[in-house]
Structures are given as C-alpha cells and as structure tokens.
Amino acid sequence: MGNLPCGTEVRAFTLQNASGASMKVSSLGGCLLSIVVPDQKGRLSDVTLGYPALETLAQAGGYMGFLIGRFGNRIGGAQFELNGKTYALAKNDGENHLHGGLKGFDKRVWGAEIKGDTLALTLRSPDGEEGYPGTLDVTVTYSFSDENTLGIRYEAVCDQDTVLNLTNHVYFNLSGPDCQTLDSHEILINADAFTEVSSPACIPTGRLAPVEGTPLDLRAFRNIGEGLALEERDTQMRYGGGYDHNFVLRGWDQTLRQAAIVRDKATGRRLETWTDQPGVQFYSGNFIKDDRPGKCGPPYRRRQGFCLETQHYPDSVHHQNFPTCVLRKGEKYETVTEYRFSAEAF
C-alpha cells in the first residue's frame, strides 16, 4: 500500500476463493479493506465500509475494519484492579477507556505472512503499553473459504496476568458501500438479554436486562431501520444513540455457535455471525461522521453501516457476574469468529 510518514511499510494481502469471492487485509491494524461476495444473482460486490488509500486509512476515525486490542469496547473510569494492583488506562472516551486506548492495536503495523491459504498477523505488545500489564504476543489468522466464510482466529499469550478482549470492528452494508442506509436490512440476534447501560457513556450497570418488550428484542428478524425509529421511546436506545449494545448470547458454552443473522432484501445477501465468545456488540453506525471520501466517493453517513463485534462483555473487569476477561500468565487465549456469507431470493 505504501509507507507511513515514519517510513514503516504497510502491505495489503488478498485471499480469493475458487468462485472469485475475496477479502483484502492491510498490515496496518489488520484492517479488513474489503470483503467481496455474490448477491442473489451471482454478482460480486464489496460489502464493507472503509478507506482504500493508505493516507486516509491511517487518519480516519471509526475503527472501520480494524483489529481492536488490548480491550475491545469500554472500561469504565479508565482503570481496573488485578491481583490487588490498580492499572490506569488512557481516557479516550470521556472519562472512560475505549478499544485499547490512544494507540491500540488498530494503529500498529502487524507482521504478516501468508501460510497456505491463510494470512497470519503477529504483534508484540510490550509490558505497560497503554497501561496494560505484561508483554503480550498476539497472532490473528484470517481465512476465506470456498463457501464464502471469513474466519478470524485470535491467539495470545502473556508473561504476566493481564486482561484481554480482542475483536474486529468491520462495518458491513450488504447492499454495498455506495448504499447510504440500512433500510433494506433485517437482523436476528440469538440473545434473550443485553448488558444494561447507565448513561450515554454506555458503561454497563452489571444487570443483564431482558430484551423482551424493547427495541432490542431481535430474537425474530426485525428491520434495522424500523428498530432505529423507536429510539426516542426507549431509554437504552437513547443512551446508545440507536443500537450500540452488547447482547448476551443464548446458551454460551465456549463452543462455536450462531450469534446473529443479517439479511438484505435488496440484494439477497445473508450474513451469519458465529463465535465462541459470550457476547456480540450490535452497533448501527450511529456516530459515523467523516468528511473524508469513502470507497465510492462521498463521505460515509450516519447509520450507513453496522458492526457485529464478537467479544466478552464491556467493562467486564468491574463485574464479577460477567464472564472473566483475565488472561493468566502462560495460559493461551484462543477464540474464533466466523462471518458466513450466502445469498437467497426474497
């Protein structure tokens, strides 16, 4: 792709399957630059938002397509306690810590190597980086199958006890990056509860609130635009500015399970999200705001794309009733997420 102002080279890699569908990844932030899959008529098109030029990619906000670490989502008060010691983190989201801090994994240039039909990205995060304890070695492996499944395997080890919550922040629009709304999209999430938040800062209260009777009841397909239209009637939706909530996945047992399905009636494209993580953050792009040109020319608009970020729950460092995000010294962190693409006629 070119060189950063500091001189570091940034490379791009393409994985293509037998049908011609493909994905493209940058070594800067492990960013998913594109995912090209067929619609119901077999026509190939990109289904992600993002930036094709390195200069724009390096400067743009919104984490579009990037790997997130050390800790995806929010940590309240930008601090946590581990083994009796308090660790202070950057306050880069008001008084809170978001997506790994001021220079998270999204801003790092990863080592990259093609291994067979996969791309392996590697990164060492030194002890104390962004306030986190321990030297952490991370490997993220991307794959793209002939069945149009994008696989992401996260692996890590640390030489001290630490906290870790890795994810990817890819923005999807199944109609293509030139489509400016999500109005033709329907979503289903296999969750009976979500982590309730206390304010627009979106820090969990610790309560696992039932989705029933709220716009967050996505147990049956719901049009995303129709759900967003209910924002003013629901306190949780107002706090998130729309959908920006962690859903508690039903029946979590650390095996690979279907978390969500999104289908687009305009193109017939269907996206299934599978994960072994306990939660998924459904974000409807409420804060997309950029004057930089997107892939198709015009800047991206609010709610032009959605994210399904597989994860441990936000702020889990402060809630003992949440699944733990502590990675013990010498233990191996390993988790898998799959985005499975297909097409169907409506």
Side-chain angles (χ1 to χ4, degrees):
M1 295 186 71
N3 294 332
L4 296 173
C6 64
T8 302
E9 182 185 15
V10 176
R11 297 184 291 168
F13 301 82
T14 299
L15 299 179
Q16 182 171 305
N17 66 19
S19 69
S22 65
M23 58 174 283
K24 190 174 184 179
V25 178
S26 166
S27 60
L28 175 61
C31 184
L32 282 165
L33 299 173
S34 67
I35 304 171
V36 176
V37 291
D39 65 6
Q40 60 190 351
K41 296 183 179 179
R43 296 172 297 195
L44 291 169
S45 178
D46 190 3
V47 293
T48 67
L49 309 188
Y51 302 95
L54 177 58
E55 181 180 1
T56 311
L57 186 70
Q59 296 176 358
Y63 303 95
M64 284 190 181
F66 285 100
L67 293 174
I68 302 299
R70 290 189 188 192
F71 200 95
N73 219 307
R74 298 168 175 90
I75 294 179
Q79 57 80 34
F80 66 92
E81 184 177 304
L82 181 63
N83 299 333
K85 182 178 178 180
T86 298
Y87 294 89
L89 309 173
K91 294 182 178 180
N92 64 323
D93 186 41
E95 290 298 304
N96 306 307
H97 181 80
L98 177 67
H99 290 333
L102 299 175
K103 190 176 181 181
F105 290 178
D106 57 298
K107 295 180 175 63
R108 299 283 301 278
V109 177
W110 294 58
E113 181 182 359
I114 293 289
K115 293 186 176 181
D117 56 358
T118 69
L119 173 66
L121 301 177
T122 55
L123 181 69
R124 169 164 285 188
S125 176
D127 180 29
E129 183 173 48
E130 292 296 319
Y132 292 94
T135 297
L136 183 77
D137 288 300
V138 184
T139 300
V140 177
T141 303
Y142 285 110
S143 61
F144 194 71
S145 75
D146 286 340
E147 293 72 38
N148 297 333
T149 293
L150 189 166
I152 311 177
R153 178 177 294 275
Y154 305 87
E155 300 170 276
V157 292
C158 195
D159 64 358
Q160 297 181 42
D161 290 356
T162 193
V163 297
L164 191 63
N165 192 21
L166 303 178
T167 191
N168 186 286
H169 208 294
V170 59
Y171 286 70
F172 297 103
N173 187 311
L174 299 182
S175 287
D178 57 339
C179 180
Q180 296 190 333
T181 76
L182 297 172
D183 290 349
S184 61
H185 291 61
E186 297 179 336
I187 188 167
L188 178 154
I189 298 180
N190 293 313
D192 302 312
F194 67 98
T195 49
E196 178 188 74
V197 298
S198 58
S199 72
C202 289
I203 302 299
T205 64
R207 177 173 178 252
L208 305 183
V211 299
E212 188 168 357
T214 78
L216 284 83
D217 189 350
L218 305 176
R219 294 174 294 181
F221 279 107
R222 173 173 242 159
N223 180 275
I224 293 177
E226 291 177 1
L228 289 170
L230 302 174
E231 176 186 345
E232 292 305 316
R233 304 182 191 177
D234 184 85
T235 300
Q236 290 294 306
M237 290 283 282
R238 289 199 302 273
Y239 285 162
Y243 291 109
D244 191 8
H245 298 80
N246 171 70
F247 287 77
V248 176
L249 296 176
R250 186 185 309 126
W252 177 61
D253 61 1
Q254 302 185 56
T255 63
L256 191 66
R257 304 170 69 86
Q258 185 192 79
I261 306 171
V262 180
R263 61 189 187 189
D264 175 31
K265 289 195 169 183
T267 65
R269 290 192 179 95
R270 175 185 173 102
L271 166 62
E272 296 185 20
T273 300
W274 289 65
T275 186
D276 55 14
Q277 293 278 54
V280 63
Q281 185 89 3
F282 171 40
Y283 173 52
S284 53
N286 313 312
F287 302 104
I288 296 176
K289 184 179 180 181
D290 201 348
D291 57 2
R292 298 174 178 87
K295 290 179 179 179
C296 298
Y300 295 121
R301 297 175 53 180
R302 180 174 184 253
R303 295 176 174 170
Q304 188 170 344
F306 68 91
C307 302
L308 288 166
E309 305 157 61
T310 57
Q311 60 181 9
H312 269 57
Y313 305 164
D315 199 37
S316 51
V317 294
H318 292 131
H319 301 283
Q320 292 186 355
N321 61 316
F322 289 3
T324 182
C325 61
V326 174
L327 176 65
R328 296 296 177 186
K329 174 183 176 180
E331 290 183 351
K332 186 175 183 179
Y333 175 99
E334 188 170 10
T335 179
V336 175
T337 290
E338 293 182 353
Y339 295 111
R340 302 180 181 182
F341 296 91
S342 59
E344 57 189 348
F346 286 100

